[in-house]
Amino acid sequence: MPQHREFDLILFGATGFVGKLTAQYLTTAVPADARIALAGRSADKLAATRAALGPVAANWELVVADSSDPASLAAMAERTKVVVTTVGPYLRYGMPLLGACAAAGTHYADLTGEPLFIHDAIEKFEQTAVDSGAKIVNSCGYDSIPSDLSVYEIYRASLADDTGELESTTLVAYLKGGMSGGTIDSGRAMMEDVAGDSARGKILAHPYSLSPDRSMEPNVGRQSDQALARADSIDASLSGWVTTFIMASHNTKVVRRTNGLLGWAYGKQFRYREVMNAGTSPAAPLVAAGIAGGIVAGMASGAVLSRVSLGRKLLDRILPKPGTGPSEAARLAGWFAMKTFARTSSGAKYQATFSGSGDPGYQATAVLLGQSGLCLAFDTLPDRAGVLTPASAMGEALTQRLRDAGMTIEVTRS
């Protein structure tokens, strides 16, 4: 990256729902001398957003850029060390900006939960980013930083203890939070992308579709994201039931890609899955079964409706619109706790806990994304470029930033 850039960080999509939350968080977290800019399509909306942020942002510059205008994206990328983008669905709107950052040697962070977008980014811009020195870091929100850093920190603990390679590893998600129209729109974008295209569907379904070299991946048998089981089958300390976690199919691919990018440092028998807590009440088995079945049925129905114009119009009418999301009270009442249980080749057992306050997809994601951007802009990081994951790009530097920001990230050995 050229040493002299006008800005340290540009936040693209600053007038959107998550963009505003991220901008507000940055006002509380940026160094006093940080050079920050807000970017989006409308100068008037950007000015209104900046005015609402208070005195810290008063001198932040405004940059007009549009996802449909490649020249504006290239110009923006060349002005800054880092671009943080909340403009999705990324399958529809994200690739031109990612490509502009890769070409300019500009570090990049997004919030995508779309494996197909990352797959396409790797195919199109991996070598460009490697050549320019750009760190293109996908999934820097609740999807998938807690997953990725939890396993990474367990790996670091096992390395320090010399307890061998990671083998069976399971994350259990506990959370309270809402869902925005933007999140739902991302899911729709993937359904529409795979509709009638079996090759795209196979990419979405394959556990190693984001691997840097699938021929090097371990042969550990079938790995499914569908779950319905007693929690104590994962660890004796747990009670109740677990079920399918809707983001498992994305997060697990990201974690497996990290293993590959680190030279399969986690181990050649590393087996990873994610599930969600369904509670301990007598009705928990029914709740767990209902969630698991509902996710499968919902995805199947959405995929069918996305194939035809009439079905897409129906989804437009019944689903929340992009740009909407949980109220402030709901966001503040949310929380998340991710507990990851791992066993190593020597039989050692570890537990990682990654937790935080605020709605995980929005309040907490603003912290996760904001700190990712600041980490890329200001911290000394591994000498690695290309299309990366949060752990492979930022590792312990990001862990420490998030701890300092009030999140709990700890690993214990049992």
Side-chain angles (χ1 to χ4, degrees):
M1 177 194 296
Q3 294 301 306
H4 303 291
R5 296 285 177 105
E6 186 179 353
F7 303 114
D8 296 308
L9 184 153
I10 292 178
L11 174 61
F12 183 56
T15 62
F17 188 82
V18 179
K20 288 179 180 178
L21 293 176
T22 305
Q24 183 63 61
Y25 175 72
L26 286 172
T27 65
T28 71
V30 295
D33 58 348
R35 300 165 301 158
I36 308 296
L38 304 177
R41 291 181 297 175
S42 166
D44 290 342
K45 289 183 179 180
L46 287 169
T49 295
R50 180 177 63 184
L53 293 175
V56 171
N59 295 322
W60 291 1
E61 293 204 33
L62 307 179
V63 176
V64 176
D66 192 320
S67 296
S68 64
D69 181 359
S72 72
L73 299 177
M76 177 174 68
E78 290 169 359
R79 298 175 70 183
T80 184
K81 294 180 181 178
V82 178
V83 171
V84 169
T85 175
T86 64
V87 179
Y90 295 92
L91 273 169
R92 292 180 187 154
Y93 308 119
M95 201 62 73
L97 176 57
L98 186 151
C101 290
T106 299
H107 301 329
Y108 161 104
D110 68 27
L111 291 173
T112 188
E114 304 158 49
L116 290 170
F117 175 73
I118 301 177
H119 175 272
D120 294 349
I122 295 165
E123 286 206 334
K124 294 178 180 179
F125 296 114
E126 168 73 12
Q127 193 58 52
T128 302
V130 168
D131 292 343
S132 72
K135 297 181 188 295
I136 304 298
V137 193
N138 305 116
S139 303
C140 292
Y142 179 64
D143 314 308
S144 304
I145 284 178
S147 305
D148 205 25
L149 284 186
S150 290
V151 177
Y152 180 75
E153 291 300 326
I154 289 176
Y155 157 69
R156 291 184 65 217
S158 69
L159 201 63
D161 295 343
D162 192 23
T163 52
E165 298 180 339
L166 302 189
E167 295 187 340
S168 177
T169 304
T170 301
L171 178 147
V172 184
Y174 302 76
L175 68 150
K176 177 184 178 183
M179 185 170 289
S180 79
T183 300
I184 292 172
D185 207 30
S186 289
R188 285 190 60 188
M190 285 195 292
M191 291 177 193
E192 291 170 10
D193 189 74
V194 302
D197 189 334
S198 60
R200 298 289 278 175
K202 288 178 181 178
I203 293 169
L204 191 60
H206 199 287
Y208 293 110
S209 59
L210 302 184
S211 172
D213 185 350
R214 283 169 61 168
S215 69
M216 294 290 291
E217 293 294 351
N219 181 14
V220 293
R222 183 173 181 269
Q223 296 183 87
S224 172
D225 297 314
Q226 303 303 313
L228 176 58
R230 293 185 61 89
D232 59 12
S233 66
I234 298 167
D235 189 85
S237 67
L238 300 178
S239 57
W241 288 75
V242 295
T243 188
T244 301
F245 181 36
I246 193 168
M247 287 311 302
S249 63
H250 179 72
N251 294 338
T252 54
K253 291 178 178 64
V254 171
V255 171
R256 293 181 190 117
R257 177 165 175 78
T258 295
N259 187 32
L261 290 171
L262 297 179
W264 291 271
Y266 295 168
K268 292 297 291 183
Q269 294 301 311
F270 175 63
R271 184 185 181 95
Y272 182 67
R273 65 174 179 149
E274 296 188 353
V275 299
M276 184 175 72
N277 172 58
T280 60
S281 74
L286 296 177
V287 171
I291 292 172
I295 289 173
V296 173
M299 293 179 67
S301 299
V304 170
L305 290 172
S306 295
R307 294 186 180 191
V308 296
S309 175
L310 183 61
R312 290 192 292 272
K313 289 179 180 178
L314 176 61
L315 292 174
D316 286 339
R317 295 188 62 180
I318 64 176
L319 294 176
K321 301 295 185 290
T324 64
S327 67
E328 181 178 8
R331 295 195 307 269
L332 293 175
W335 54 269
F336 73 94
M338 315 291 270
K339 298 182 179 181
T340 305
F341 300 86
R343 182 186 297 272
T344 74
S345 54
S346 70
K349 296 169 67 177
Y350 291 89
Q351 177 184 334
T353 300
F354 193 130
S355 62
S357 59
D359 182 288
Y362 302 94
Q363 206 74 23
T365 280
V367 179
L368 295 164
L369 180 62
Q371 287 294 346
S372 294
L374 295 174
C375 189
L376 289 169
F378 296 111
D379 293 354
T380 300
L381 299 175
D383 185 18
R384 184 178 291 118
V387 180
L388 305 173
T389 60
S392 65
M394 296 175 278
E396 51 264 43
L398 183 57
T399 298
Q400 190 56 55
R401 275 189 168 273
L402 294 174
R403 285 173 174 154
D404 292 344
M407 292 189 176
T408 296
I409 308 174
E410 59 186 21
V411 177
T412 57
R413 181 179 175 184
S414 58

